[in-house]
Each structure stands twice: as structure tokens, then as C-alpha cells.
Amino acid sequence: MSCILHIETSTDVCSVAVSQDGASIFSKEDFNGPSHAVTLGVFVDEALSFADSHAIPVDAVAVSCGPGSYTGLRIGVSMAKGICYGRNIPLIGLPTPEVMCVPILLFHDLPEDALLCPMIDARRMEVYAVVYDRSLKAQRAISADIIDENSYAGFLAEHPVYFFGNGAEKCRSKLTHPNAHFIENINPLAKWMFPLAEKEMARENFKDVAYFEPFYLKEFVTSVPKKLL
């Protein structure tokens, strides 16, 4: 097992954590943002000081890489890359929707055929969303969705679908199928990143520090709602 510094800044919430041997040993969170430009540096300094004071070498930095807030992602990835350069350690990039799924899988008892749909608020009735099964295999790739009464109809006809994230609440009035379930208060947080980061660490699936960029989901959406399966 390794010691990993985790950084999550994809939404208004700013969070930093340190994990060791598959458990979170340090965590700081600010829900009063967005103030990442000020808060993130303080949290990172505290996290690195915690690790150094306990003689724990940090082996890698994991960063939540989007989609989400353009500014937040840019700040988080820039900080992660700077630490990797300064300490000569590898960089791990984790999709933000997968990070959001971790507390659902850890703490909620879901049916075997359940599908997970993390939603990140974009604008108006638009969300960044992806549909996963319980093994986090994408059943539909991430996209920018304009939500209406027919959204995800194909999935809802056959599976219980769990919607969560800061984009899900505004969709509740549109997604009224009996198989549509909503889980509140789910944010992408650094303390939930360690199970995913440990897997990437074991695979040595690292990002190129020089060229890595966040996943800015840029998609032109017309005024006509998409026909979502």
C-alpha cells in the first residue's frame, strides 16, 4: 500500500485528504466556496505537514479531473502537478463521476441490477452525467444532458437508477419514473478518492505531469433536448 495525497476541486466544495494503506488518515473540506484559489493551498500545506510530521513519505498525488467547474479543475490540477514536480512523484487522475460513486457503493445497500447516475450541475436543466453499473462499468458514456421527462427512459424501464450529485436535485421534478431514486448530499470529496487511487497506483497507471489536463467536457448543446436512451 502507498501514501497518496488527494485533491478534489471540481465543484464549489474544496477538499484535500491523505490516505495510507487503503484508509483515509487526514481530511479537510470547505463547503463554503467556491474559494479554491485561497483554500486549496492552505489545505495542501496542512496535509503535507501532517504526512511529513509523521514521517510518512507521500508516494503520489491523485486529483479529481472532471468534468466540473473549469476554474476549480484548473486550480486543482495545477496544484497537483506542482507537487508532483516538486517532490518527483507520480500523478493519478480520477474521473469525478467515479469519485462521486464511492460513498454510494460503500454505504448504500443497492439492488444487484442497480445503475448509478452521478450528475454534476452545468446550467439551467443541463447536467454532466454518466450511467454506471455497480462495478463502475459505464453503461452510457458521460455527456452534457438536457433533462426532460423522457431522459434515461430506456434505463429506467429495466433498472432501478440512482441519481445523485449537485445536478440531481434540480432533475427530481422531471425524472418521476418509479425506478428513479434520488440520494441527497453526495459531493465529490477527496476522502472518497483513495479506493480508486489505490487501484491506479497498483496498475502504475500514471498521467504525464507535463501534458495532463483536466477533462473539460465541452459540448455544444442545441435548444432541442437530446433523445436520451
Side-chain angles (χ1 to χ4, degrees):
M1 292 290 186
S2 306
C3 177
I4 304 174
L5 173 70
H6 307 274
I7 295 173
E8 215 302 321
T9 57
S10 65
T11 66
D12 286 351
V13 182
C14 179
S15 60
V16 172
V18 177
S19 67
Q20 184 184 32
D21 298 335
S24 180
I25 59 174
F26 174 94
S27 180
K28 292 295 291 286
E29 298 159 1
D30 177 19
F31 290 84
N32 299 314
S35 56
H36 303 337
V38 175
T39 306
L40 181 60
V42 175
F43 284 180
V44 167
D45 283 344
E46 292 180 8
L48 292 175
S49 295
F50 173 87
D52 292 343
S53 67
H54 289 79
I56 304 172
V58 176
D59 299 300
V61 178
V63 64
S64 181
C65 59
S69 161
Y70 180 93
T71 301
L73 290 170
R74 180 170 51 81
I75 291 171
V77 169
S78 296
M79 176 67 75
K81 292 170 72 170
I83 298 167
C84 290
Y85 271 124
R87 297 202 170 206
N88 192 29
I89 54 179
L91 176 66
I92 298 169
L94 301 175
T96 301
E98 290 190 18
V99 175
M100 296 168 65
C101 289
V102 171
I104 305 297
L105 294 171
L106 287 178
F107 302 116
H108 291 264
D109 186 16
L110 305 180
E112 288 295 327
D113 63 340
L115 297 178
L116 310 181
C117 186
M119 290 179 159
I120 299 168
D121 192 10
R123 58 182 174 82
R124 299 179 184 174
M125 286 308 293
E126 185 178 2
V127 296
Y128 301 139
V130 60
V131 179
Y132 295 114
D133 64 18
R134 290 181 53 184
S135 66
L136 293 185
K137 180 179 179 181
Q139 303 302 297
R140 198 217 63 182
I142 191 164
S143 66
D145 299 341
I146 296 178
I147 304 301
D148 63 20
E149 290 79 2
N150 298 314
S151 298
Y152 314 107
F155 294 116
L156 288 165
E158 299 183 2
H159 300 271
V161 182
Y162 291 79
F163 300 94
F164 49 92
N166 66 358
E169 185 58 34
K170 69 182 185 181
C171 302
R172 188 187 289 265
S173 63
K174 298 289 186 180
L175 302 174
T176 58
H177 192 282
N179 273 338
H181 306 278
F182 290 83
I183 301 176
E184 298 178 350
N185 301 317
I186 299 297
N187 294 287
L189 298 176
K191 67 183 179 182
W192 303 131
M193 293 169 63
F194 72 88
L196 304 173
E198 288 285 356
K199 290 182 180 179
E200 299 305 291
M201 190 77 178
R203 297 169 182 163
E204 297 186 356
N205 185 17
F206 304 129
K207 304 299 182 181
D208 187 315
V209 177
Y211 296 103
F212 178 70
E213 293 184 354
F215 176 37
Y216 302 122
L217 181 56
K218 298 177 181 178
E219 182 172 330
F220 294 99
V221 181
T222 68
S223 60
V224 179
K226 295 179 180 180
K227 299 301 182 181
L228 302 176
L229 296 178

